[in-house]
Amino acid sequence: GPPVQFGWFHWALAALSLPAAALLWRAGRRLPALAIVLLELFFAAGVYMTTSASESVWEYFGALRFVQFPWRYMGLVSLAAAGLAGAAASRCTSPATSFG
């Protein structure tokens, strides 16, 4: 499973930003919606790379040994979670002025 450091809070932020992306997409604001989707992909990739399910990826790409620890992907996940939190909060608090 995912590391202990990924709490329900992180998963909730990722989940809350998906409706925000859908609303933005339907409103014709494609660029902010795509930014949220990109942050979702970063979040998912970071979480995947910290689990044992990614062991074959670590073995196949020898250059990943320079990263040394899967826990280094926690920074990617934290950054993505912060962006997703901002997107969800911005969309929920002020729909008329969110994302510029």
Side-chain angles (χ1 to χ4, degrees), residues 13 16-21 23-24 29 32-33 36 39 81-100:
L13 292 177
L16 286 175
S17 65
L18 288 174
L23 289 171
L24 287 169
R29 303 180 81 186
I36 292 173
L39 286 170
L84 292 171
S90 175
R91 188 67 192 158
C92 293
T93 58
S94 179
T97 60
S98 62
F99 300 109

Side-chain angles (χ1 to χ4, degrees), residues 6-19 40 43 81 84-85 88-89:
F6 298 126
W8 292 109
F9 183 72
H10 297 94
W11 295 105
L13 292 177
L16 286 175
S17 65
L18 288 174
E40 288 281 350
F43 182 83
L84 292 171

Side-chain angles (χ1 to χ4, degrees), residues 54-99:
S54 67
E55 187 174 337
S56 61
V57 175
W58 284 88
E59 290 174 3
Y60 185 76
F61 294 103
L64 284 177
R65 281 182 256 155
F66 294 109
V67 175
Q68 294 180 351
F69 306 109
W71 301 106
R72 301 254 172 117
Y73 282 96
M74 296 279 294
L76 177 67
V77 173
S78 297
L79 178 66
L84 292 171
S90 175
R91 188 67 192 158
C92 293
T93 58
S94 179
T97 60
S98 62
F99 300 109

